Amino acid sequence: ALQGPEVVCTPCEGPSDYVDSPGQSECLTCPMGSFGVPLDMGHSACEDAKCEERPEVPTPVELGVCAIPGVLNTGECHVACPAGTIQYSGEPFLCIPDGPNTASYQNGSIACVREVTI
């Protein structure tokens, strides 16, 4: 028979919870934009969310190269000016956290001016 106090293990199953070593008494929290894995049992690590959808841009702006799925903090979606215009300024959309366990492409911008030939 076992002797000593009864130990109750509660798996870390919240979306952002995990433990990184056996015997921990409290769950740790994954960084923003990541979630606990494996998904079908208590979590023992974190995995970064990915950007699964291209961002919406207003017409006539166009999306250029866009990584799907996008890697958190490095994935980019580039925007392009429509025909007859050239890019004056802008930044690509970046795959960043949009919640505790999710990410999306955000903060892209572009300014286009008419192309003029003299």
Side-chain angles (χ1 to χ4, degrees):
L2 296 175
Q3 296 182 352
E6 182 180 341
V7 176
V8 177
C9 284
T10 303
C12 294
E13 295 179 318
S16 298
D17 295 341
Y18 77 104
V19 293
D20 57 2
S21 61
Q24 283 181 244
S25 60
E26 293 185 22
C27 297
L28 302 172
T29 302
C30 295
M32 183 75 146
S34 60
F35 53 90
V37 292
L39 298 176
D40 59 347
M41 60 179 62
H43 306 145
S44 58
C46 296
E47 185 173 304
D48 287 342
K50 306 239 185 291
C51 291
E52 302 290 346
E53 297 180 10
R54 296 166 61 94
E56 291 186 24
V57 295
T59 305
V61 173
E62 303 167 1
L63 280 175
V65 175
C66 189
I68 299 293
V71 176
L72 191 67
N73 298 318
T74 61
E76 293 183 345
C77 268
H78 295 267
V79 285
C81 293
T85 65
I86 56 173
Q87 183 173 336
Y88 175 72
S89 65
E91 297 292 328
F93 287 86
L94 183 62
C95 181
I96 58 176
D98 62 3
N101 314 111
T102 57
S104 63
Y105 281 110
Q106 301 175 55
N107 302 330
S109 66
I110 194 165
C112 304
V113 294
R114 286 185 188 225
E115 193 171 12
V116 178
T117 51
I118 300 176

XYZ file of all heavy atoms in Angstrom:
842
model
N 0.841 -1.182 0.000
C 0.000 0.000 0.000
C 0.886 1.246 0.000
O 1.952 1.259 0.592
C -0.909 -0.005 1.213
N 0.422 2.273 -0.681
C 1.143 3.530 -0.717
C 0.952 4.267 0.592
O -0.112 4.249 1.184
C 0.643 4.403 -1.873
C 0.882 3.859 -3.278
C 0.220 4.760 -4.305
C 2.365 3.759 -3.558
N 2.000 4.955 1.008
C 1.918 5.746 2.222
C 2.211 7.197 1.887
O 2.909 7.499 0.935
C 2.901 5.228 3.269
C 2.570 3.819 3.734
C 3.535 3.350 4.813
O 4.518 4.013 5.100
N 3.234 2.221 5.398
N 1.694 8.098 2.717
C 1.937 9.516 2.506
C 0.673 10.211 2.057
O -0.374 9.591 1.878
N 0.785 11.529 1.863
C -0.405 12.288 1.483
C -0.860 11.940 0.076
O -0.065 11.595 -0.788
C 0.049 13.739 1.572
C 1.530 13.690 1.429
C 1.970 12.359 1.988
N -2.153 12.024 -0.127
C -2.721 11.773 -1.444
C -2.389 12.955 -2.349
O -2.536 14.111 -1.973
C -4.233 11.624 -1.347
C -4.879 11.327 -2.666
C -6.395 11.174 -2.545
O -6.910 10.953 -1.447
O -7.043 11.295 -3.589
N -1.875 12.669 -3.535
C -1.533 13.711 -4.499
C -2.581 13.691 -5.604
O -2.852 12.658 -6.197
C -0.129 13.481 -5.102
C 0.163 14.518 -6.169
C 0.921 13.498 -4.007
N -3.155 14.837 -5.858
C -4.152 14.953 -6.919
C -3.552 15.796 -8.038
O -3.110 16.916 -7.805
C -5.446 15.617 -6.392
C -6.442 15.790 -7.526
C -6.037 14.796 -5.261
N -3.498 15.222 -9.216
C -2.982 15.956 -10.373
C -4.158 16.459 -11.195
O -5.029 15.691 -11.568
C -2.129 15.050 -11.258
S -0.510 14.729 -10.587
N -4.164 17.724 -11.455
C -5.175 18.313 -12.319
C -4.465 18.757 -13.591
O -3.550 19.582 -13.532
C -5.837 19.534 -11.641
O -6.375 19.114 -10.398
C -6.926 20.117 -12.511
N -4.848 18.203 -14.737
C -4.153 18.584 -15.969
C -4.403 20.043 -16.315
O -5.450 20.605 -16.015
C -4.754 17.648 -17.023
C -6.030 17.151 -16.457
C -5.909 17.242 -14.961
N -3.423 20.636 -16.935
C -3.550 22.012 -17.406
C -4.234 21.963 -18.767
O -3.592 21.677 -19.775
C -2.173 22.669 -17.501
S -1.389 22.867 -15.894
N -5.533 22.211 -18.783
C -6.308 22.061 -20.007
C -6.916 23.355 -20.522
O -7.584 23.357 -21.547
C -7.423 21.034 -19.797
C -6.881 19.644 -19.544
C -7.973 18.616 -19.300
O -8.945 18.921 -18.580
O -7.831 17.514 -19.836
N -6.711 24.486 -19.820
C -7.193 25.760 -20.343
C -6.458 26.075 -21.632
O -5.343 25.594 -21.844
N -7.029 26.874 -22.517
C -6.414 27.132 -23.819
C -4.973 27.640 -23.740
O -4.171 27.330 -24.607
C -7.315 28.193 -24.454
C -8.584 28.145 -23.689
C -8.276 27.598 -22.340
N -4.640 28.390 -22.686
C -3.296 28.970 -22.563
C -2.467 28.329 -21.465
O -1.392 28.807 -21.150
C -3.405 30.477 -22.268
O -4.048 31.142 -23.308
N -2.973 27.267 -20.843
C -2.284 26.639 -19.715
C -1.347 25.527 -20.164
O -1.614 24.839 -21.142
C -3.297 26.016 -18.746
C -4.183 27.043 -18.078
O -3.816 28.225 -18.065
O -5.237 26.646 -17.570
N -0.247 25.342 -19.419
C 0.654 24.217 -19.666
C 1.569 24.029 -18.459
O 1.660 24.894 -17.593
C 1.488 24.435 -20.933
C 2.638 25.409 -20.756
C 3.944 24.953 -20.642
C 2.421 26.782 -20.678
C 5.011 25.840 -20.468
C 3.469 27.666 -20.515
C 4.762 27.197 -20.403
O 5.809 28.060 -20.231
N 2.215 22.890 -18.366
C 3.308 22.648 -17.418
C 4.492 22.166 -18.231
O 4.343 21.437 -19.199
C 2.954 21.613 -16.320
C 1.878 22.141 -15.406
C 2.558 20.290 -16.899
N 5.696 22.606 -17.862
C 6.864 22.203 -18.644
C 7.713 21.140 -17.964
O 8.726 20.725 -18.491
C 7.707 23.412 -19.042
C 8.159 24.236 -17.851
O 7.866 23.862 -16.701
O 8.815 25.269 -18.080
N 7.295 20.708 -16.775
C 7.977 19.595 -16.117
C 7.001 18.884 -15.196
O 6.119 19.507 -14.608
C 9.215 20.082 -15.351
O 8.849 21.003 -14.359
N 7.142 17.551 -15.056
C 6.240 16.782 -14.194
C 6.312 17.254 -12.742
O 7.361 17.694 -12.269
C 6.752 15.343 -14.331
C 7.606 15.334 -15.541
C 8.133 16.716 -15.710
N 5.193 17.171 -12.064
C 5.157 17.478 -10.639
C 4.903 18.936 -10.300
O 4.839 19.289 -9.121
N 4.776 19.798 -11.299
C 4.467 21.192 -11.001
C 3.086 21.281 -10.378
O 2.157 20.594 -10.794
C 4.506 22.046 -12.277
C 5.895 22.372 -12.733
C 5.872 23.249 -13.979
O 6.340 22.801 -15.007
N 5.340 24.446 -13.877
N 2.949 22.136 -9.371
C 1.659 22.250 -8.695
C 0.759 23.299 -9.331
O -0.440 23.312 -9.079
C 1.879 22.575 -7.213
O 2.583 23.797 -7.084
N 1.309 24.170 -10.167
C 0.498 25.201 -10.809
C 0.790 25.240 -12.302
O 1.911 24.986 -12.738
C 0.792 26.574 -10.204
C 0.346 26.703 -8.764
C 0.546 28.114 -8.223
O 0.632 29.054 -9.034
O 0.610 28.252 -6.997
N -0.234 25.593 -13.050
C -0.073 25.725 -14.495
C 0.651 27.028 -14.824
O 0.511 28.026 -14.124
C -1.443 25.741 -15.174
S -2.383 24.215 -14.969
N 1.417 27.000 -15.902
C 2.043 28.191 -16.453
C 1.132 28.723 -17.555
O 0.224 28.032 -18.010
C 3.423 27.843 -17.021
C 4.409 27.217 -16.027
C 5.652 26.740 -16.754
C 4.756 28.204 -14.938
N 1.384 29.932 -18.023
C 0.563 30.530 -19.079
C 1.407 30.743 -20.329
O 2.498 31.311 -20.259
C -0.016 31.882 -18.609
O -0.787 31.660 -17.429
C -0.907 32.500 -19.670
N 0.900 30.275 -21.453
C 1.580 30.463 -22.735
C 1.642 31.948 -23.071
O 0.762 32.721 -22.683
C 0.819 29.743 -23.848
S 0.769 27.948 -23.711
N 2.660 32.370 -23.837
C 2.740 33.760 -24.268
C 1.545 34.137 -25.149
O 0.926 33.280 -25.780
C 4.030 33.829 -25.080
C 4.771 32.585 -24.765
C 3.777 31.567 -24.307
N 1.258 35.425 -25.211
C 0.171 35.942 -26.050
C 0.353 35.446 -27.481
O 1.457 35.472 -28.016
C 0.212 37.470 -26.015
C -0.891 38.121 -26.787
S -2.408 37.979 -25.865
C -3.184 39.501 -26.309
N -0.731 34.958 -28.084
C -0.677 34.476 -29.460
C -0.265 33.025 -29.580
O 0.044 32.558 -30.663
N -0.245 32.293 -28.466
C 0.078 30.868 -28.525
C -0.904 30.108 -27.653
O -1.660 30.688 -26.884
C 1.525 30.605 -28.102
O 1.743 31.039 -26.786
N -0.879 28.780 -27.763
C -1.843 27.945 -27.053
C -1.172 26.671 -26.580
O -0.131 26.272 -27.094
C -3.046 27.626 -27.959
C -2.667 27.044 -29.287
C -2.553 25.672 -29.456
C -2.402 27.866 -30.364
C -2.194 25.137 -30.674
C -2.043 27.343 -31.605
C -1.936 25.975 -31.759
N -1.794 26.041 -25.553
C -1.253 24.814 -24.985
C -1.443 23.616 -25.893
O -2.473 23.472 -26.546
N -0.435 22.731 -25.953
C -0.490 21.492 -26.735
C 0.064 20.348 -25.892
O 0.822 20.600 -24.958
C 0.317 21.613 -28.058
C -0.354 22.576 -29.002
C 1.752 22.003 -27.816
N -0.235 19.093 -26.151
C -1.124 18.602 -27.199
C -2.575 18.973 -26.895
O -2.947 19.194 -25.745
C -0.921 17.096 -27.181
C -0.477 16.783 -25.801
C 0.278 17.994 -25.326
N -3.389 19.032 -27.941
C -4.760 19.509 -27.795
C -5.695 18.493 -27.149
O -6.712 18.854 -26.605
C -5.318 19.913 -29.165
C -4.576 21.067 -29.847
C -5.157 21.320 -31.221
C -4.618 22.319 -28.989
N -5.354 17.205 -27.205
C -6.269 16.171 -26.718
C -6.007 15.712 -25.286
O -6.599 14.744 -24.838
C -6.239 14.974 -27.671
C -4.843 14.385 -27.810
O -3.871 15.037 -27.375
O -4.724 13.283 -28.361
N -5.136 16.401 -24.552
C -4.855 16.017 -23.158
C -4.250 17.212 -22.431
O -4.186 18.299 -22.982
C -3.917 14.810 -23.119
C -2.571 15.068 -23.781
S -1.415 13.681 -23.746
C -2.265 12.445 -24.666
N -3.793 17.003 -21.201
C -3.136 18.084 -20.474
C -1.978 18.651 -21.275
O -1.248 17.920 -21.935
N -1.822 19.949 -21.246
C -0.822 20.617 -22.079
C 0.557 20.611 -21.433
O 0.701 20.930 -20.263
C -1.250 22.058 -22.350
C -2.619 22.174 -22.924
N -3.454 23.201 -22.631
C -3.296 21.372 -23.786
C -4.590 23.048 -23.278
N -4.522 21.932 -23.979
N 1.567 20.286 -22.231
C 2.943 20.229 -21.731
C 3.871 21.193 -22.482
O 5.063 21.217 -22.228
C 3.477 18.800 -21.848
O 3.419 18.356 -23.186
N 3.327 21.979 -23.390
C 4.124 22.938 -24.160
C 3.177 23.963 -24.777
O 1.960 23.842 -24.657
C 4.913 22.218 -25.254
N 3.755 24.956 -25.419
C 2.977 25.971 -26.126
C 3.339 25.940 -27.605
O 4.464 25.618 -27.970
C 3.279 27.367 -25.583
S 2.793 27.594 -23.865
N 2.375 26.275 -28.435
C 2.603 26.371 -29.873
C 2.063 27.714 -30.342
O 0.976 28.126 -29.938
C 1.885 25.236 -30.591
C 2.152 25.193 -32.069
C 1.550 23.958 -32.712
O 1.870 22.842 -32.275
O 0.756 24.121 -33.658
N 2.830 28.388 -31.188
C 2.393 29.677 -31.712
C 1.187 29.517 -32.620
O 1.121 28.581 -33.420
C 3.511 30.349 -32.517
C 4.626 30.886 -31.647
O 4.414 31.049 -30.426
O 5.712 31.149 -32.185
N 0.252 30.451 -32.511
C -0.867 30.503 -33.446
C -0.316 30.897 -34.813
O 0.762 31.472 -34.929
C -1.898 31.516 -32.971
N -1.048 30.596 -35.850
C -0.662 30.939 -37.210
C -1.755 31.824 -37.811
O -2.900 31.764 -37.424
C -0.509 29.682 -38.057
C 0.443 28.663 -37.457
C 1.567 28.375 -38.390
C 2.487 27.291 -37.920
N 3.291 27.565 -36.791
N -1.374 32.650 -38.752
C -2.336 33.458 -39.491
C -2.870 32.599 -40.632
O -2.123 32.240 -41.541
C -1.692 34.731 -40.016
S -1.275 35.890 -38.698
N -4.141 32.241 -40.547
C -4.737 31.300 -41.489
C -5.477 31.969 -42.646
O -5.859 31.310 -43.593
C -5.708 30.366 -40.752
C -5.071 29.573 -39.636
C -4.107 28.497 -40.114
O -4.109 28.159 -41.310
O -3.349 27.981 -39.276
N -5.721 33.287 -42.545
C -6.478 33.967 -43.591
C -5.755 35.215 -44.075
O -5.080 35.885 -43.293
C -7.855 34.370 -43.062
C -8.715 33.192 -42.663
C -10.070 33.632 -42.142
O -10.412 34.819 -42.260
O -10.786 32.765 -41.617
N -5.940 35.510 -45.338
C -5.382 36.739 -45.908
C -6.193 37.916 -45.364
O -7.392 37.799 -45.172
C -5.466 36.692 -47.429
C -4.612 35.577 -48.025
C -4.952 35.306 -49.482
N -4.749 36.435 -50.378
C -3.641 36.642 -51.071
N -2.633 35.801 -50.977
N -3.533 37.683 -51.862
N -5.553 39.054 -45.137
C -6.302 40.215 -44.660
C -7.188 40.785 -45.768
O -6.914 40.593 -46.952
C -5.213 41.211 -44.273
C -4.053 40.843 -45.122
C -4.137 39.356 -45.300
N -8.245 41.465 -45.368
C -9.092 42.141 -46.349
C -8.514 43.520 -46.611
O -8.092 44.204 -45.687
C -10.512 42.246 -45.823
C -11.204 40.907 -45.732
C -12.663 41.033 -45.349
O -13.264 42.108 -45.577
O -13.194 40.050 -44.820
N -8.492 43.891 -47.863
C -8.012 45.221 -48.250
C -9.074 45.877 -49.120
O -9.793 45.194 -49.842
C -6.655 45.167 -48.988
C -5.556 44.659 -48.072
C -6.737 44.328 -50.244
N -9.177 47.199 -49.049
C -10.192 47.880 -49.862
C -9.818 47.884 -51.344
O -8.649 47.902 -51.697
C -10.196 49.302 -49.293
C -8.847 49.480 -48.688
C -8.409 48.115 -48.220
N -10.813 47.855 -52.193
C -10.604 47.982 -53.630
C -10.155 49.409 -53.896
O -10.655 50.314 -53.254
C -11.927 47.685 -54.361
O -12.394 46.416 -53.946
C -11.765 47.703 -55.855
N -9.219 49.690 -54.708
C -8.557 48.843 -55.700
C -7.211 48.294 -55.234
O -6.473 47.733 -56.030
C -8.372 49.797 -56.874
C -8.091 51.111 -56.208
C -8.940 51.109 -54.965
N -6.866 48.471 -53.953
C -5.593 47.931 -53.447
C -5.610 46.415 -53.601
O -6.646 45.771 -53.443
C -5.374 48.343 -51.972
C -4.159 47.657 -51.379
C -5.266 49.848 -51.857
N -4.464 45.845 -53.897
C -4.356 44.401 -54.114
C -3.378 43.784 -53.137
O -2.439 44.438 -52.694
C -3.873 44.141 -55.552
C -4.768 44.744 -56.606
C -4.130 44.746 -57.984
O -2.992 44.254 -58.123
O -4.772 45.253 -58.917
N -3.612 42.527 -52.813
C -2.651 41.781 -52.000
C -1.634 41.142 -52.924
O -1.985 40.586 -53.955
C -3.340 40.696 -51.179
C -4.022 41.155 -49.903
C -4.761 39.992 -49.264
C -3.027 41.735 -48.926
N -0.388 41.216 -52.524
C 0.674 40.561 -53.271
C 1.017 39.243 -52.589
O 0.138 38.467 -52.228
N 2.301 39.011 -52.360
C 2.769 37.794 -51.705
C 2.234 37.757 -50.277
O 2.332 38.730 -49.533
C 4.313 37.751 -51.700
C 4.814 36.557 -50.922
C 4.842 37.744 -53.121
N 1.639 36.613 -49.913
C 1.040 36.464 -48.590
C 1.216 35.029 -48.119
O 0.667 34.107 -48.717
C -0.442 36.830 -48.657
S -1.247 36.953 -47.067
N 1.997 34.835 -47.053
C 2.243 33.494 -46.528
C 1.011 32.978 -45.782
O 0.530 33.609 -44.858
C 3.435 33.520 -45.585
N 0.477 31.827 -46.226
C -0.641 31.171 -45.543
C -0.246 29.721 -45.339
O 0.014 29.031 -46.317
C -1.951 31.250 -46.359
C -2.378 32.686 -46.585
C -3.063 30.455 -45.688
C -2.790 33.443 -45.346
N -0.138 29.197 -44.131
C -0.332 29.960 -42.898
C 0.870 30.864 -42.616
O 1.997 30.534 -42.946
C -0.469 28.887 -41.825
C 0.324 27.733 -42.336
C 0.189 27.793 -43.847
N 0.585 31.985 -41.983
C 1.637 32.926 -41.622
C 2.220 32.601 -40.262
O 1.502 32.246 -39.342
N 3.525 32.708 -40.141
C 4.228 32.423 -38.892
C 4.139 33.649 -37.973
O 4.355 34.776 -38.411
C 5.708 32.062 -39.173
C 6.476 31.853 -37.894
C 5.778 30.825 -40.056
N 3.822 33.403 -36.714
C 3.659 34.472 -35.742
C 4.898 35.367 -35.693
O 6.027 34.884 -35.619
C 3.387 33.875 -34.359
C 2.934 34.851 -33.282
C 1.548 35.410 -33.595
C 2.902 34.162 -31.922
N 4.679 36.662 -35.755
C 5.687 37.727 -35.656
C 6.653 37.832 -36.834
O 7.511 38.702 -36.834
C 6.462 37.639 -34.343
C 5.562 37.821 -33.149
O 4.687 38.677 -33.145
N 5.771 37.005 -32.128
N 6.559 36.946 -37.825
C 7.427 37.063 -38.997
C 6.658 36.982 -40.314
O 7.158 37.460 -41.326
C 8.538 35.994 -39.009
O 7.944 34.705 -39.051
C 9.439 36.123 -37.790
N 5.484 36.352 -40.327
C 4.713 36.213 -41.553
C 4.242 37.570 -42.056
O 3.790 38.401 -41.275
N 4.361 37.798 -43.355
C 3.964 39.069 -43.951
C 3.019 38.858 -45.123
O 3.136 37.883 -45.858
C 5.182 39.844 -44.453
C 6.100 40.324 -43.367
C 7.259 41.162 -43.890
O 7.529 41.148 -45.118
O 7.909 41.826 -43.071
N 2.097 39.812 -45.283
C 1.244 39.922 -46.465
C 1.531 41.288 -47.067
O 1.333 42.315 -46.417
C -0.235 39.845 -46.096
S -0.932 38.207 -46.146
N 2.008 41.285 -48.293
C 2.366 42.539 -48.953
C 1.176 43.091 -49.726
O 0.387 42.341 -50.277
C 3.567 42.321 -49.874
C 4.798 41.959 -49.106
N 5.702 42.897 -48.684
C 5.251 40.762 -48.648
C 6.666 42.295 -48.004
N 6.416 41.000 -47.974
N 1.076 44.398 -49.745
C 0.018 45.059 -50.495
C 0.624 45.719 -51.721
O 1.804 46.062 -51.733
C -0.731 46.090 -49.622
C -1.650 45.396 -48.646
C 0.227 46.989 -48.871
N -0.193 45.869 -52.760
C 0.289 46.440 -54.015
C -0.694 47.488 -54.518
O -1.897 47.380 -54.313
C 0.467 45.337 -55.056
N -0.170 48.483 -55.174
C -0.991 49.536 -55.766
C -1.620 49.024 -57.058
O -1.054 48.178 -57.753
C -0.138 50.759 -56.070
S 0.476 51.586 -54.585
N -2.787 49.546 -57.400
C -3.427 49.133 -58.652
C -2.678 49.681 -59.870
O -1.849 50.583 -59.742
C -4.829 49.740 -58.546
C -4.693 50.869 -57.583
C -3.588 50.501 -56.639
N -2.994 49.128 -61.016
C -2.359 49.565 -62.274
C -2.540 51.071 -62.463
O -3.578 51.630 -62.105
C -2.969 48.808 -63.446
N -1.505 51.711 -62.979
C -1.548 53.139 -63.226
C -1.138 53.982 -62.025
O -1.155 55.205 -62.088
N -0.783 53.315 -60.923
C -0.321 54.031 -59.736
C 0.976 53.407 -59.254
O 1.328 52.286 -59.643
C -1.356 53.977 -58.580
O -1.504 52.628 -58.146
C -2.705 54.529 -59.020
N 1.696 54.132 -58.417
C 2.916 53.604 -57.816
C 2.841 53.800 -56.308
O 2.132 54.686 -55.811
C 4.186 54.283 -58.391
C 4.119 55.806 -58.225
C 4.394 53.904 -59.836
C 5.405 56.515 -58.616
N 3.561 52.962 -55.595
C 3.554 53.037 -54.132
C 4.362 54.233 -53.654
O 5.509 54.416 -54.042
C 4.104 51.746 -53.522
C 4.056 51.753 -52.004
C 4.434 50.414 -51.408
O 4.309 49.381 -52.050
N 4.884 50.435 -50.172
N 3.749 55.035 -52.812
C 4.396 56.198 -52.216
C 4.971 55.829 -50.849
O 6.069 56.218 -50.495
C 3.374 57.329 -52.109
C 3.875 58.559 -51.399
C 4.794 59.401 -52.000
C 3.414 58.870 -50.127
C 5.257 60.535 -51.340
C 3.867 60.000 -49.464
C 4.785 60.824 -50.076
O 5.236 61.928 -49.426
N 4.213 55.071 -50.069
C 4.668 54.607 -48.756
C 3.826 53.401 -48.368
O 2.816 53.118 -48.995
C 4.535 55.709 -47.694
O 3.170 56.029 -47.497
N 4.227 52.721 -47.310
C 3.420 51.606 -46.821
C 4.240 50.546 -46.122
O 5.470 50.542 -46.182
N 3.528 49.672 -45.466
C 4.106 48.545 -44.726
C 3.283 47.303 -45.000
O 2.053 47.384 -45.113
C 4.078 48.827 -43.215
C 4.907 50.015 -42.767
C 6.402 49.775 -42.916
O 6.833 48.614 -42.781
O 7.116 50.752 -43.190
N 3.910 46.120 -45.046
C 3.131 44.889 -45.199
C 2.355 44.585 -43.922
O 2.688 45.060 -42.837
C 4.191 43.816 -45.457
C 5.440 44.364 -44.861
C 5.349 45.860 -44.968
N 1.290 43.806 -44.054
C 0.584 43.285 -42.888
C 1.511 42.290 -42.205
O 2.222 41.537 -42.877
C -0.700 42.561 -43.305
C -1.797 43.474 -43.764
C -1.872 43.893 -45.078
C -2.771 43.898 -42.875
C -2.887 44.724 -45.513
C -3.799 44.727 -43.291
C -3.853 45.141 -44.613
N 1.507 42.258 -40.882
C 2.351 41.345 -40.116
C 1.472 40.396 -39.310
O 0.463 40.809 -38.741
C 3.277 42.131 -39.176
C 4.277 41.326 -38.359
C 5.258 40.570 -39.264
C 5.049 42.245 -37.416
N 1.851 39.131 -39.250
C 1.131 38.126 -38.464
C 1.458 38.343 -36.980
O 2.575 38.059 -36.549
C 1.544 36.724 -38.913
S 0.707 35.389 -38.040
N 0.494 38.880 -36.241
C 0.700 39.175 -34.814
C -0.498 38.685 -33.999
O -1.575 38.461 -34.547
C 0.963 40.676 -34.563
C -0.188 41.529 -35.074
C 2.278 41.106 -35.195
C -0.040 43.013 -34.772
N -0.315 38.519 -32.682
C -1.438 38.058 -31.854
C -2.620 39.025 -31.923
O -2.444 40.236 -31.931
C -0.860 38.043 -30.440
C 0.617 37.962 -30.615
C 0.907 38.691 -31.891
N -3.831 38.459 -31.989
C -5.032 39.273 -31.903
C -5.890 38.839 -30.719
O -7.009 39.283 -30.537
C -5.838 39.251 -33.202
C -6.336 37.868 -33.567
O -6.130 36.902 -32.804
O -6.948 37.740 -34.640
N -5.355 37.954 -29.907
C -6.020 37.451 -28.709
C -5.063 36.538 -27.989
O -3.939 36.319 -28.448
N -5.480 35.987 -26.867
C -4.567 35.134 -26.101
C -4.076 33.910 -26.869
O -2.954 33.482 -26.680
C -5.393 34.694 -24.887
C -6.587 35.554 -24.858
C -6.769 36.146 -26.221
N -4.903 33.343 -27.749
C -4.552 32.095 -28.417
C -4.626 32.161 -29.934
O -4.563 31.137 -30.593
C -5.476 30.964 -27.948
C -5.640 30.945 -26.454
O -6.706 31.244 -25.950
N -4.591 30.637 -25.734
N -4.779 33.346 -30.499
C -4.981 33.469 -31.935
C -4.113 34.579 -32.521
O -3.589 35.422 -31.800
C -6.452 33.776 -32.256
O -6.834 34.970 -31.571
C -7.364 32.627 -31.839
N -3.988 34.561 -33.843
C -3.202 35.581 -34.544
C -3.882 35.909 -35.867
O -4.623 35.092 -36.417
C -1.786 35.073 -34.798
N -3.610 37.098 -36.369
C -4.120 37.498 -37.679
C -3.168 38.537 -38.267
O -2.346 39.124 -37.562
C -5.532 38.083 -37.567
O -5.529 39.265 -36.794
N -3.296 38.729 -39.576
C -2.501 39.757 -40.238
C -3.074 41.124 -39.888
O -4.275 41.350 -40.016
C -2.506 39.554 -41.756
C -1.554 38.471 -42.188
C -2.020 37.264 -42.671
C -0.179 38.669 -42.109
C -1.136 36.268 -43.073
C 0.710 37.693 -42.506
C 0.223 36.495 -42.987
O 1.098 35.528 -43.378
N -2.197 42.043 -39.440
C -2.650 43.350 -38.994
C -1.659 44.444 -39.374
O -0.499 44.171 -39.661
C -2.790 43.364 -37.464
C -3.761 42.343 -36.911
C -3.746 42.341 -35.410
O -3.939 43.373 -34.779
N -3.497 41.179 -34.821
N -2.144 45.679 -39.294
C -1.346 46.905 -39.383
C -0.682 47.155 -40.733
O 0.290 47.887 -40.804
C -0.283 46.958 -38.270
C -0.915 46.880 -36.899
O -2.035 47.316 -36.702
N -0.198 46.307 -35.958
N -1.190 46.567 -41.794
C -0.652 46.862 -43.115
C -1.159 48.214 -43.610
O -2.242 48.666 -43.222
N -0.376 48.851 -44.442
C -0.804 50.134 -45.001
C -0.122 50.347 -46.356
O 0.900 49.752 -46.653
C -0.442 51.281 -44.053
O 0.962 51.414 -43.964
N -0.742 51.210 -47.152
C -0.141 51.581 -48.420
C -0.711 52.931 -48.852
O -1.862 53.238 -48.572
C -0.373 50.504 -49.503
C 0.545 50.747 -50.696
C -1.839 50.430 -49.903
C 0.646 49.573 -51.637
N 0.116 53.718 -49.477
C -0.313 54.966 -50.089
C 0.149 54.935 -51.539
O 1.335 54.699 -51.804
C 0.279 56.168 -49.358
N -0.776 55.131 -52.440
C -0.470 55.073 -53.875
C -0.713 56.445 -54.497
O -1.608 57.177 -54.091
C -1.374 54.056 -54.562
S -1.303 52.401 -53.845
N 0.100 56.766 -55.485
C -0.073 58.008 -56.235
C -0.140 57.660 -57.722
O 0.420 56.648 -58.150
C 1.053 59.032 -55.954
C 1.008 59.514 -54.511
C 2.415 58.451 -56.273
N -0.832 58.493 -58.479
C -0.924 58.252 -59.932
C 0.444 58.336 -60.562
O 1.246 59.188 -60.237
C -1.839 59.259 -60.581
C -3.261 59.003 -60.283
C -4.127 59.961 -61.041
N -5.468 59.765 -60.559
C -6.518 59.681 -61.328
N -6.376 59.803 -62.624
N -7.698 59.486 -60.833
N 0.659 57.425 -61.469
C 1.914 57.416 -62.219
C 1.818 58.471 -63.313
O 0.863 58.488 -64.089
C 2.114 56.018 -62.808
C 3.477 55.782 -63.329
C 3.680 54.315 -63.698
O 2.693 53.545 -63.763
O 4.830 53.963 -63.943
N 2.772 59.357 -63.327
C 2.760 60.447 -64.306
C 4.028 60.372 -65.152
O 5.123 60.243 -64.634
C 2.688 61.826 -63.588
C 2.728 62.943 -64.608
C 1.471 61.909 -62.699
N 3.859 60.435 -66.447
C 5.025 60.482 -67.331
C 5.112 61.881 -67.930
O 4.110 62.467 -68.327
C 4.913 59.427 -68.449
O 3.657 59.554 -69.081
C 5.082 58.036 -67.901
N 6.299 62.372 -67.951
C 6.526 63.739 -68.459
C 7.373 63.679 -69.701
O 8.257 62.935 -69.864
C 7.214 64.615 -67.388
C 6.325 64.682 -66.163
C 7.491 65.982 -67.932
C 6.937 65.434 -65.023
